[in-house]
Amino acid sequence: MDISGSLAAELKTLTDALGRPSTDLTDSVRKLADGLRFAVPSWLGLTLTLVLNGLPLALTVLDDGMTPRRIATSAAMPLTPVHGAEHGSSIVFYAGTSGAFVDFAADAAYALGLELDDVALDQHLTPASRTSGVTGLADIAGLNQAIGILVDHGHTPDEAQAELRRLARHARTSLSATAQLVIHSASQHSRPGAL
Amino acid sequence: MTETTTSGASERPDAPPPGDEPDRADRAAADDADLRESLADLSRLATGRLDLRAMLTHVAEFAVRAIPGADGAGLTLLENDRADTIVASADFVREVDAVQYGIGEGPCITAAAERRTVRSAHLGRDPSWPRFGPRVSRLGVHSVVSLPLLAGDGVLGAMNVYARTEDAFDARAVELGELFAVPAAISVQNAQALAQAQRLATQLQSALTHRAAIDQALGILMSRSGCSPAEAFDKLRVMSQTQNRKASAVAQQLLDEAVARARARHSAD
């Protein structure tokens, strides 16, 4: 599978963050795509969503730009039991032939220790993104930078997260928007000499 | 279409001797029952949240039950045309496969490379693998059936079924093995794809956890200097170069020290 453009750049950024020479996320995505094409010949793509600190990161891999129009079936399953990922983490597979995931979904349910009802067939026929790429990275980065700011102000990381949630609830806004407010505020109230 | 290669000095005739029909019918019925049971096990394979190696080992164990005459079996998955994951139902299979992949010659390699079933009745005298045969024969293993695991146009790997006796596998055993190999290949490819998906999710989560420490450290630098995220990243890079340490290590230290200060302040309160 050809992995290029923004997806390649985003996967390289994440691979660099891992700091393990033996792990290349681009290679892992390519192997997964090839494996799925073997298992389900009409496979067209997938969206892997991980929820971290309440914010989703979605990796979408699509065969090509025409994929969204060609999707005829999907299989979605939660990742929570396997990875300790937060509620809402999931993987959705897309294919172009109706019924293509019936056997695969049954195997997947058994393999992941899920009930068959946990595997949703044909309920996600529109991918999270129309093109391959990673969404949500900027929001997660902003949230962590805001946590860092609050940690520097004397909060532990857990307290910092709780404080951001409290502020978001109080202002009736999103966690991401609250994080951006904290970042903006820090840029106006620097503490020169502290470093 | 697979072919069956039968090698060895003497072949067991597949037609039963006169008077053996009832025995043969009983044996065939028992073989069919074993195959059905093994196929049913195959379909229930993953109930215990098995990882890929454990799942493949179970496939090998079911193959031993499904194929009459078998003493042990192993599965080899290929990655970039090289043996990648190798599992076995018994220790002696591991020894035999270690010889095979050590010298790069043997029935599994032939079955996968040529996409056909391979059978040998007398490994020690089989000219197909002049180095492999005599060595495994000295280990007390004399018969083999190797079945390619086919998926569409590709080869996932191969399944090796071994026996200690000579001439252990007849045409019926090969037929049952080929019947078993079809759903086995499907289960293997589904499990392989799921394992790859799990691996990717784990790597992604790990990458995000590492990035979280870096971003939190950037936040600390932003808090102290009022700089933007990009400027904070530049500062972190300079610190990394000055200290001759990875940026992630510098970030983790900054974060640990800030958290320690926060906790100390809490303790003092």
Side-chain angles (χ1 to χ4, degrees):
Chain A
M1 170 167 213
D2 177 39
I3 295 172
S4 56
S6 62
L7 176 61
E10 286 150 351
L11 290 173
K12 184 178 182 318
T13 302
L14 288 165
T15 298
D16 290 346
L18 263 176
R20 286 187 221 136
S22 59
T23 304
D24 179 352
L25 285 165
T26 307
D27 192 42
S28 297
V29 169
R30 191 177 291 120
K31 279 181 185 160
L32 173 58
D34 291 344
L36 284 164
R37 200 170 284 116
F38 246 162
V40 181
S42 67
W43 178 81
L44 289 173
L46 65 91
T47 297
L48 196 163
T49 303
L50 286 177
V51 178
L52 211 69
N53 295 329
L55 290 181
L57 174 122
L59 164 67
T60 298
V61 181
L62 301 175
D63 220 17
D64 58 45
M66 294 303 290
T67 292
R69 282 198 230 164
R70 291 191 284 136
I71 292 172
T73 184
S74 68
M77 53 202 77
L79 285 172
T80 310
V82 176
H83 302 286
E86 289 176 29
H87 180 71
S89 298
S90 66
I91 188 160
V92 185
F93 302 100
Y94 312 107
T97 305
S98 294
F101 287 121
V102 172
D103 290 341
F104 181 78
D107 277 358
Y110 286 131
L112 299 177
L114 304 170
E115 297 296 323
L116 261 180
D117 289 350
D118 292 333
V119 181
L121 288 174
D122 298 344
Q123 290 179 24
H124 302 78
L125 298 176
T126 306
S129 161
R130 295 189 64 80
T131 54
S132 295
V134 181
T135 57
L137 259 184
D139 285 346
I140 290 175
L143 176 68
N144 281 308
Q145 287 160 10
I147 289 172
I149 289 166
L150 295 181
V151 165
D152 191 52
H153 288 181
H155 293 279
T156 65
D158 287 346
E159 288 169 347
Q161 274 192 52
E163 176 65 4
L164 286 167
R165 282 181 210 287
R166 191 189 66 76
L167 290 170
R169 269 198 309 274
H170 186 255
R172 295 186 180 182
T173 185
S174 69
L175 204 53
S176 304
T178 306
Q180 288 306 317
L181 278 175
V182 170
I183 291 170
H184 182 70
S185 169
S187 69
Q188 295 183 332
H189 301 94
S190 60
R191 300 195 294 134
L195 186 68
Chain B
M1 182 84 181
T2 56
E3 300 170 18
T4 301
T5 297
T6 308
S7 303
S10 65
E11 280 300 304
R12 183 157 67 190
D14 292 328
D20 273 6
E21 280 82 359
D23 286 350
R24 184 177 167 80
D26 288 348
R27 200 192 74 181
D31 290 349
D32 286 347
D34 282 346
L35 177 65
R36 274 198 302 276
E37 199 178 324
S38 295
L39 291 175
D41 283 340
L42 204 55
S43 69
R44 290 193 294 268
L45 197 58
T47 48
R49 298 189 198 183
L50 302 173
D51 68 15
L52 182 62
R53 291 189 68 83
M55 181 270 186
L56 296 177
T57 305
H58 281 275
V59 173
E61 288 164 356
F62 297 155
V64 174
R65 281 226 312 269
I67 300 169
D71 289 323
L75 259 79
T76 300
L77 297 192
L78 301 178
E79 178 118 7
N80 300 325
D81 293 331
R82 295 182 58 189
D84 182 45
T85 307
I86 305 168
V87 300
S89 69
D91 286 342
F92 88 87
V93 176
R94 258 183 285 280
E95 276 185 73
V96 172
D97 282 343
V99 171
Q100 178 164 216
Y101 296 110
I103 61 178
E105 167 189 301
C108 181
I109 293 168
T110 303
E114 299 179 12
R115 298 167 52 91
R116 64 184 175 89
T117 302
V118 173
R119 172 169 58 149
S120 178
H122 305 278
L123 279 166
R125 286 176 275 153
D126 196 320
S128 305
W129 310 289
R131 290 185 295 160
F132 170 78
R135 288 178 68 171
V136 300
S137 178
R138 284 196 291 277
L139 294 173
V141 177
H142 298 287
S143 300
V144 66
V145 178
S146 286
L147 304 139
L149 296 171
L150 303 172
D153 295 335
V155 183
L156 292 168
M159 182 163 66
N160 293 321
V161 186
Y162 296 107
R164 292 193 173 89
T165 56
E166 294 201 337
D167 201 8
F169 302 117
D170 59 12
R172 176 70 179 149
V174 171
E175 188 187 342
L176 291 171
E178 288 178 341
L179 279 173
F180 181 82
V182 175
I186 294 168
S187 287
V188 166
Q189 67 186 359
N190 284 347
Q192 219 174 9
L194 280 167
Q196 282 159 342
Q198 288 176 11
R199 200 177 309 144
L200 176 64
T202 305
Q203 289 170 348
L204 208 50
Q205 196 163 13
S206 182
L208 291 173
T209 304
H210 280 76
R211 254 189 77 111
I214 292 176
D215 281 320
Q216 288 174 14
L218 295 184
I220 292 167
L221 294 174
M222 288 153 66
S223 167
R224 293 177 187 177
S225 65
C227 65
S228 68
E231 288 165 340
F233 191 75
D234 286 341
K235 282 178 190 289
L236 184 68
R237 198 158 38 200
V238 169
M239 291 166 78
S240 159
Q241 285 164 356
T242 308
Q243 297 175 25
N244 200 21
R245 296 164 67 207
K246 280 185 172 180
S248 57
V250 176
Q252 189 64 55
Q253 187 183 349
L254 267 172
L255 181 61
D256 289 345
E257 287 170 0
V259 171
R261 269 196 299 277
R263 292 196 200 288
R265 194 179 304 177
H266 279 266
S267 302
D269 292 345

